Amino acid sequence: MSDQKTVRPVLAAEIEQLNPAQRMAAMHNGDLVVRAGPGSGKTRTLVARVGYLLESEISRYRGVAALTYTRHAAQEIVDRLDRLSVRPGRRLTAGTVHSWCLSAVLRPYSYLVGLPSPDESKLVDDKSGEWITLLQRCFDVAGALENPRYEKAAITRLRRRIAAGYEVQADDPMTQAAILVDRELERRGWIDFDAMVSRSLKIINENPKIARLIVSRYPSLVVDEYQDLGPVLHRLVVTLRDEFDIQVSAFGDVDQAVMGFTGAEPEFLNELSSKDKFETISLPLNYRSGQAIISASQAVLNESRPYQATPDREDLGSIELAYVEDGGLWDHSNAVMEYIDEFLASGFPCHQIAVLYPRKGPLLDALLYAFKQSSHAYVHEGDESLPRSDLTDFIRTCAARTFSGFQPIGSLAEKDASDVATLRGISRRYAELRRKSGLVELESRACDALIAEVCVAASWGSSGDLLSWLSFMVETLELKAVANASNRIGDSEDLKLFLDRCEELEITFEDMSSAAIRAGKVTLTTYHSAKGREWDVVILPGLVEGVMPGWRWNQRMKRFVEPSGRQLSQDRMAFYVGLTRARSSAVLVFGDYWEGKYGYVNRFGISRFARDVIDHMSAQ
């Protein structure tokens, strides 16, 4: 590392341990696209890149903006940097695209350009009743006959393309409805997550001086999961880079672009990669899966990729094919339970087994029934019995931390059996909730003390009464005041419903903590939610045409029809993502037919994705 500028010893040692491609990406001087396949150490490389930029390339008076798809991914960057002794404070902004647009563009500059401040606007999301009412009004005015409850993804896709300046069918009623949504939001003084990004792009496009101020503060922009972040962000990145000389580091994988239904396109990453002065680096080593799983996943893509298992890996991993002969989805689910029994008997822990499904429907119904009839403890990540919001997710996090005891559960069990936040991390989230609600900001020590009082009190935890703890927490942390002052529509109602549902359903500490404390539990989740994660064993049931890939019901023709090219591509990439989550073994459960909601049988044959793998294995 003779060409490396001075960095902290712990960070220098981390960069030294990276493989050559990772090290080149971490230390590259200039614009960069990193193509990171499954298990390639993308997050480790991205964190090293952010640390190197902060330590060696960026002035101590300026910083780096690291944009991610989820809050969890952003927190992971901060936590890993902390373990590398890189503590940049306000020089690093790590968060979702929406949070960065809010903090770096909208809050400081909206007032200056005549737009309403986001702090004076109501934040509304597409799950609220107010949103559906607004959408219905826009549909009615535009003459769109579709049901808005089922067209939210289509409207999102159209709004993003319009905001980014891409061509749309102007005379289409759905396009007119999408245009009306943004006008109506502004008229009502509301804002949603998409409007945060589109309004930020508008400010940057129309106000070069503001764009220069933003680039002056953040001369380097690092973007994770670039292929999934959509056309508005892509246009924003290209504008800042081409017109205002921001340095861009984009990490992604076109084969894992699973958010196409919202307007995201793999071509955005390809376009960035083809620009002048961009260096493109591929990370070829897969540290997760055995070669058998890697090769099978490439067969699903029908294209060759340069990915290989690490040279020191001795086992190839395994692909197991489970044909459910003359059986439907209920038989698939029974087969899943039998496989779980076998893997547990072989010594695999519960939390290292995942069962993936594509979407809600008959397959999920059958799986849930089978799990409830079995003796297996499991976490169903699609369980929405309690309302979800930033505030209620914060309560869940505190409950998990309280239930785990003074020491984080991760120190007592395997790391990936737990996702329990640290007290310091919870304190930062609490401070952010207060700030967003406009309440008096507390010093960090005061926040730390309140969180410790709530989460470490000896009378709580596994033997404590959840309802009493919730009452104590709401009062101690002033959560009703936080909810009432929040600019997100529905926070106050969600908090009340959350507390009422906990009492009605007799929720326990263990119930509320189950999504964070996974030791002893099998994970049941969607292909999409599995992205970025890994397990020793992944079981993929329901591999029948019509389920995976999904076929849509055509009301006019009164039958299911094969997916369009776009839909098929999305399901193929989702299946690829699911298959590549496995470290040691992937089980494909497939059959010839599936039963619909009312018992009718659809005989469309074995999933073409399963056939790709079967043909590949037969050719070996």
Side-chain angles (χ1 to χ4, degrees), residues 69 87 91 114 174 287 326 410 501-502 553 557:
Y69 193 76
R87 301 179 180 93
R91 292 184 61 222
M174 288 288 285
Y287 291 88
D326 197 28
R501 292 285 285 168
C502 284
W553 176 258
M557 301 171 68

Side-chain angles (χ1 to χ4, degrees), residues 280-452:
T280 298
I281 297 174
S282 294
L283 305 183
L285 292 181
N286 185 323
Y287 291 88
R288 175 189 301 149
S289 304
Q291 190 59 47
I293 297 170
I294 297 170
S295 299
S297 69
Q298 294 186 29
V300 172
L301 293 176
N302 291 322
E303 295 182 28
S304 178
R305 295 289 184 265
Y307 309 136
Q308 297 290 327
T310 54
D312 59 344
R313 177 157 183 160
E314 296 181 358
D315 70 292
L316 297 176
S318 67
I319 299 286
E320 299 197 32
L321 303 175
Y323 175 46
V324 181
E325 186 174 4
D326 197 28
L329 298 180
W330 298 96
D331 299 283
H332 285 229
S333 300
N334 291 332
V336 168
M337 298 305 120
E338 293 174 4
Y339 268 102
I340 291 174
D341 288 334
E342 291 180 16
F343 283 114
L344 292 177
S346 299
F348 288 97
C350 277
H351 66 267
Q352 285 295 352
I353 301 173
V355 180
L356 306 185
Y357 63 95
R359 56 188 66 86
K360 290 181 180 179
L363 175 60
L364 176 59
D365 294 341
L367 287 169
L368 287 172
Y369 181 82
F371 267 112
K372 290 173 183 176
Q373 296 301 308
S374 75
S375 60
H376 301 306
Y378 69 100
V379 176
H380 177 215
E381 295 183 344
D383 184 2
E384 298 178 354
S385 56
L386 297 175
R388 301 302 296 262
S389 68
D390 285 352
L391 182 57
T392 58
D393 283 350
F394 170 75
I395 296 174
R396 292 170 184 261
T397 300
C398 290
R401 187 61 180 81
T402 304
F403 181 77
S404 71
F406 183 74
Q407 293 293 332
I409 198 77
S411 66
L412 305 177
E414 291 189 48
K415 180 181 181 300
D416 37 10
S418 172
D419 193 23
V420 180
T422 64
L423 290 175
R424 188 71 189 92
I426 296 173
S427 178
R428 285 194 292 262
R429 286 182 63 179
Y430 176 57
E432 180 68 7
L433 284 172
R434 289 185 65 96
R435 188 186 62 75
K436 286 182 178 180
S437 297
L439 298 182
V440 175
E441 292 193 34
L442 302 176
E443 293 184 356
S444 60
R445 289 184 180 181
C447 285
D448 291 348
L450 287 173
I451 295 302

Side-chain angles (χ1 to χ4, degrees), residues 105-106 109-110 112-115 162-163 186 197-212 214 235-236 239-240 243-244:
V105 185
L106 297 180
Y109 302 117
S110 289
L112 295 178
V113 299
L115 291 175
I162 292 166
E186 194 167 342
V197 187
S198 61
R199 292 180 190 180
S200 296
L201 176 60
K202 180 179 180 181
I203 289 174
I204 287 170
N205 277 334
E206 297 178 358
N207 301 273
K209 290 183 179 180
I210 290 176
R212 291 189 184 95
I214 294 169
R235 187 64 68 198
L236 189 150
T239 300
L240 289 175
E243 299 184 23
F244 303 100

Side-chain angles (χ1 to χ4, degrees), residues 23 67 90 112 207 244 248 261 284 392 455 467 474 521 613-614:
R23 192 179 309 126
L67 309 188
R90 295 191 176 185
L112 295 178
N207 301 273
F244 303 100
V248 175
F261 60 92
T392 58
C455 296
L467 295 181
V474 168
K521 297 167 188 168
V613 177
I614 294 168

Side-chain angles (χ1 to χ4, degrees), residues 37-58:
S40 61
K42 180 198 68 176
T43 302
R44 184 181 186 185
T45 308
L46 186 149
V47 170
R49 173 71 172 163
V50 172
Y52 183 78
L53 289 170
L54 287 166
E55 296 274 289
S56 298
E57 299 294 325
I58 305 298

